[in-house]
């Protein structure tokens, strides 16, 4: 699958010189061809339709090293338009490759399109998934791991090996029927199962007694916060969403929707099998997925009660989230400490308060942010901005503060205009009785309350609910980070292969 023919390297090398300041010509190129199809999967032991990449469910793990250039030729064999988004990958200076409907025209059925981006100055555990429609409930997701370059030291001893755990929620209804339901204003049903790497109970991780392993865990589900634990073993957190953390040890760990965490696990038990458990948190039903940690040479199956979940309180989970702290003196992707940025002393130029709400518009359930329920225009926002196409979006629709309570929500293309290099504060205000999980493209973080963002990445960036039924019905917006000039020093040109749709078609 990974293939780097000399011809391609030379060709791309030439292109790279044109923008030599942007792409280090010495960095590796990784080429992937991914065919996306429907296929039969058996996560619960009976046949269901899934979305496969190169025949795999979950999709292939993308293993990269900091600064690799990644080219993924995605061949869409579904009967619906398709895009993949790279969750947590910063896409420096190039929101063109972000793979969401505000930046990209979707890849039509039976065509292909090649993503080209560099994982510049990134290290850590991420994932990818389909951003279009509700396809991700059926698959198309996978792990995206970025290892450190050999010159960078990491703040823990090299593990004996790495394992990937993707936890997802699973439905017994086809993704198209689920979208029709949402379109009709009916909430999604409760998932019927949780899966670990596409299986409810049969994934096995085999490892050696006495050694320490890295487990990279992503919650790629669409609705369910999960708790992860391993019978008889503790979890030492080493990295969350690309930042090295203070290495605290936990009995079990909550991984919120969209979140990625890496743990070290030392095999200090007797040589047998142990349960790995992912169970739902704060939900009406208790769903559980089980995998096996098998000591090499083990001949006894995991037994005894499953390790118990933590107590139900939301408070405990919030408290745990607050124990995640960056190790400010550890290396980041580059050999400078993660704490070299003095957040506390930088002047905040703008505070934006974003309030999520459930709304009824035209008699149907929608979700809104500051009273605007986002609808993607047929012309991607990024293309409209680049080509100067008017009438696609308007920066005055969404305001920096929520509207007075009682103001009816409305639909629109929700874009906040921001100035490159400003330092802003975003406060997430949740007056609903529902747990929220937010994701911001172009930079990545786990949100407990408010965030400070250094706007160092020009482009059109999606800020969305990671709870997909909410995102689908409008709980998202775009942050347009701009500086009023066109220069490849601050943003790459539109890729030569960019798909053009809507009003942008005229610019072919
Ligand atoms: C589609 O795939 C072909 C064959 O691999 C490739 O040559 C072409 O560049 C791809 N098209 C796009 C738009 O990526
Ligand atoms: C933070 O990282 C440094 C540098 O690698 C390491 O020496 C130190 O032990 C780490 N601190 C904690 C609390 O994990
Ligand atoms: C789910 O499990 C939790 C923790 O064990 C328990 O408090 C809660 O009552 C259970 N809920 C249901 C619906 O079974």
């Amino acid at each position: 699958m990974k293939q780097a023919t000399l011809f391609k390297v030379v060709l791309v090398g030439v292109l790279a010189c044109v923008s030599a300041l942007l792409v280090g010509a010495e960095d590796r190129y990784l080429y992937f061809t991914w065919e996306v199809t429907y296929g039969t999967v058996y996560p619960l032991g009976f046949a269901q339709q899934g979305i496969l990449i190169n025949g795999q469910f979950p999709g292939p793990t993308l293993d990269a090293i900091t600064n690799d250039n990644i080219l993924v030729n995605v061949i869409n064999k579904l009967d619906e338009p398709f895009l993949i988004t790279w969750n947590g990958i910063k896409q420096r200076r190039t929101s063109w490759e972000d793979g969401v409907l505000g930046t990209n025209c979707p890849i039509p059925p039976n065509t292909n399109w090649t993503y080209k981006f560099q994982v510049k100055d990134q290290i850590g555990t991420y994932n990818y998934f389909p951003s279009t429609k509700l396809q991700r409930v059926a698959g198309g997701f996978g792990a995206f791991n970025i290892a450190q370059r050999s010159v960078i030291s990491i703040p823990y001893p090299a593990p004996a090996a790495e394992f990937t755990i993707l936890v997802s929620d699973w439905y017994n209804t086809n993704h198209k029927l689920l979208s029709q339901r949402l379109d009709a204003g009916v909430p999604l049903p409760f998932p019927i199962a949780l899966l670990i790497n596409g299986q409810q109970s049969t994934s096995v991780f085999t490892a050696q007694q006495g050694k320490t392993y890295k487990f990279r865990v992503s919650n790629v589900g669409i609705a369910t916060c999960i708790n992860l634990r391993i019978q008889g073993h503790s979890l030492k957190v080493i990295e969350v969403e690309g930042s090295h953390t203070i290495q605290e040890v936990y009995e079990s760990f909550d991984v919120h929707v969209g979140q990625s965490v890496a743990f070290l696990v030392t095999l200090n038990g007797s040589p047998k099998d142990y349960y790995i458990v992912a169970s739902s948190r704060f939900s009406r039903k208790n769903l559980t997925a089980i995998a096996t940690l098998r000591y090499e040479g083990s001949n006894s199956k995991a037994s005894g009660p499953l390790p118990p979940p933590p107590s139900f309180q939301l408070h405990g989970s919030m408290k745990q989230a607050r124990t995640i702290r960056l190790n400010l003196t550890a290396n980041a992707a580059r050999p400078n400490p993660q704490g070299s940025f003095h957040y506390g002393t930088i002047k905040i130029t703008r505070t934006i308060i974003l309030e999520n709400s459930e709304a009824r518009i035209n008699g149907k359930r929608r979700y809104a942010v500051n009273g605007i329920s986002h609808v993607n225009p047929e012309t991607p926002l990024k293309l409209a901005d680049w080509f100067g196409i008017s009438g696609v979006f308007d920066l005055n629709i969404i305001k920096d503060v929520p509207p007075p309570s009682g103001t009816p929500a409305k639909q629109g293309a929700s874009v906040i205009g921001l100035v490159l290099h400003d330092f802003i504060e975003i406060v997430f205000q949740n007056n609903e009785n529902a747990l929220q999980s937010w994701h911001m493209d172009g930079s990545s973080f786990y949100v407990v309350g408010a965030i400070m963002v250094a706007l160092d990445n020009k482009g059109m960036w999606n800020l969305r609910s990671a709870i997909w039924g909410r995102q689908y019905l409008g709980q998202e917006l775009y942050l347009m980070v701009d500086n009023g000039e066109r220069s490849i020093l601050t943003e790459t040109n539109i890729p030569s292969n960019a798909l053009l749709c809507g009003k942008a078609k005229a610019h072919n």
Side-chain angles (χ1 to χ4, degrees):
M1 214 172 43
K2 276 185 209 173
Q3 37 172 337
T5 63
L6 185 60
F7 172 72
K8 281 179 181 166
V9 172
V10 170
L11 183 72
V12 179
V14 172
L15 293 175
C17 289
V18 178
S19 53
L21 281 163
L22 303 179
V23 180
E26 72 283 7
D27 296 316
R28 282 202 312 182
Y29 282 82
L30 301 182
Y31 297 87
F32 303 93
T33 300
W34 283 3
E35 190 176 72
V36 183
T37 58
Y38 292 120
T40 305
V41 294
Y42 300 86
L44 308 181
F46 54 88
Q48 288 182 275
Q49 189 190 63
I51 290 179
L52 316 183
I53 296 181
N54 293 348
Q56 297 175 48
F57 169 77
T61 296
L62 211 162
D63 277 309
I65 295 175
T66 303
N67 294 350
D68 279 349
N69 298 287
I70 313 281
L71 287 86
V72 189
N73 185 358
V74 174
I75 305 168
N76 177 13
K77 292 283 179 75
L78 305 181
D79 56 357
E80 293 182 324
F82 183 79
L83 282 175
I84 284 176
T85 191
W86 315 95
N87 205 48
I89 303 300
K90 279 190 193 141
Q91 311 290 6
R92 276 178 84 81
R93 302 191 192 94
T94 179
S95 55
W96 305 112
E97 310 287 340
D98 201 20
V100 287
L101 288 172
T103 60
N104 292 73
C105 299
I107 307 167
N110 291 311
T111 56
N112 66 296
W113 188 67
T114 306
Y115 288 85
K116 301 175 184 171
F117 56 89
Q118 187 180 23
V119 290
K120 180 83 183 142
D121 294 336
Q122 283 196 275
I123 188 171
T125 305
Y126 308 96
N127 57 77
Y128 63 84
F129 59 81
S131 70
T132 30
K133 301 274 193 175
L134 265 191
Q135 289 142 348
R136 60 183 295 196
V137 304
F141 51 75
F144 194 144
N145 302 328
I146 309 179
Q148 74 280 3
R149 290 179 293 144
S150 57
V151 294
I152 303 293
S153 64
I154 44 173
Y156 49 89
E162 291 187 4
F163 297 115
T164 290
I165 291 186
L166 299 173
V167 184
S168 57
D169 30 32
W170 185 252
Y171 293 79
N172 63 357
T173 313
N174 176 287
H175 71 283
K176 285 188 188 169
L177 295 176
L178 290 173
S179 7
Q180 283 167 17
R181 221 177 130 120
L182 286 176
D183 293 339
V186 181
L188 289 177
F190 202 76
I192 56 163
L194 285 181
L195 307 180
I196 291 178
N197 294 352
Q199 305 286 335
Q200 196 181 21
S201 60
T202 53
S203 296
V204 179
F205 303 89
T206 304
Q208 284 175 25
Q209 188 183 28
K211 293 197 170 160
T212 298
Y213 294 82
K214 174 148 98 176
F215 281 78
R216 296 179 181 269
V217 181
S218 286
N219 183 341
V220 292
I222 67 157
T224 313
C225 171
I226 63 112
N227 178 267
L228 188 98
R229 48 204 187 269
I230 305 181
Q231 186 183 33
H233 294 76
S234 53
L235 307 168
K236 185 190 267 188
V237 173
I238 49 172
E239 174 243 327
V240 175
E241 247 103 77
S243 296
H244 290 126
T245 61
I246 302 289
Q247 296 172 10
E248 304 277 6
V249 174
Y250 302 85
E251 286 302 300
S252 76
F253 203 81
D254 285 351
V255 187
H256 292 268
V257 179
Q259 194 181 20
S260 298
V261 189
F263 304 103
L264 291 182
V265 176
T266 299
L267 271 65
N268 48 13
S270 56
K272 58 183 213 72
D273 290 0
Y274 296 85
Y275 293 120
I276 299 175
V277 180
S279 63
S280 56
R281 287 282 267 156
F282 320 117
S283 58
R284 295 187 269 123
K285 289 188 205 156
N286 287 335
L287 301 177
T288 304
I290 299 169
T292 301
L293 172 60
R294 173 162 299 159
Y295 280 45
E296 235 173 74
S298 153
N299 46 26
S300 49
K301 285 225 170 339
S303 59
L306 295 182
S311 70
F312 191 73
Q313 311 126 357
L314 190 55
H315 181 68
S317 186
M318 294 291 281
K319 232 163 88 180
Q320 185 180 64
R322 291 202 183 97
T323 63
I324 306 172
R325 283 169 298 144
L326 300 194
N327 179 342
L328 297 177
T329 59
N331 277 341
R334 285 181 289 173
N336 36 2
Q338 297 188 138
S340 56
F341 204 54
H342 295 282
Y343 276 91
T345 61
I346 303 171
K347 194 165 161 282
I348 292 170
T349 48
R350 186 163 162 190
T351 295
I352 297 171
I353 302 170
L354 297 178
E355 183 184 65
N356 51 276
S357 61
E358 190 180 309
R360 290 198 88 75
I361 300 178
N362 303 327
K364 286 181 190 157
R365 174 193 314 268
R366 298 276 309 179
Y367 294 93
V369 183
N370 286 3
I372 308 297
S373 184
H374 179 77
V375 179
N376 287 300
E378 200 196 337
T379 311
L381 304 165
K382 182 66 208 166
L383 297 185
D385 176 48
W386 184 262
F387 292 120
I389 303 167
S390 61
V392 175
F393 69 93
D394 164 353
L395 293 177
N396 291 314
I397 292 212
I398 179 166
K399 309 282 187 240
D400 284 12
V401 290
S405 70
T407 310
K410 53 184 188 196
Q411 287 176 301
S414 191
V415 185
I416 295 181
L418 295 166
V419 178
L420 183 68
H421 300 311
D422 269 6
F423 186 73
I424 63 163
E425 178 184 43
I426 302 178
V427 179
F428 292 92
Q429 192 161 304
N430 180 18
N431 294 340
E432 291 185 74
N433 187 18
L435 194 67
Q436 304 292 323
S437 178
W438 288 92
H439 180 88
M440 179 173 157
D441 284 353
S443 56
S444 170
F445 48 81
Y446 170 58
V447 177
V448 184
I451 53 164
M452 312 288 187
V453 192
L455 300 173
D456 61 355
N457 202 4
K458 190 161 149 184
M460 184 71 77
W461 301 111
N462 190 210
L463 175 56
R464 59 176 174 259
S465 174
I467 315 287
W468 214 244
R470 287 177 165 265
Q471 181 274 350
Y472 186 97
L473 291 179
Q475 191 178 325
E476 63 170 336
L477 60 139
Y478 282 82
L479 303 178
M480 190 174 93
V481 180
D482 199 9
N483 62 346
E485 62 161 36
R486 188 162 288 184
S487 159
I488 58 161
L489 296 181
T490 50
E491 185 180 40
T492 67
N493 283 327
I494 186 169
S496 56
N497 70 345
L499 295 173
L500 301 175
C501 54
K503 293 181 184 168
K505 259 191 208 150
H507 294 266
N508 215 329

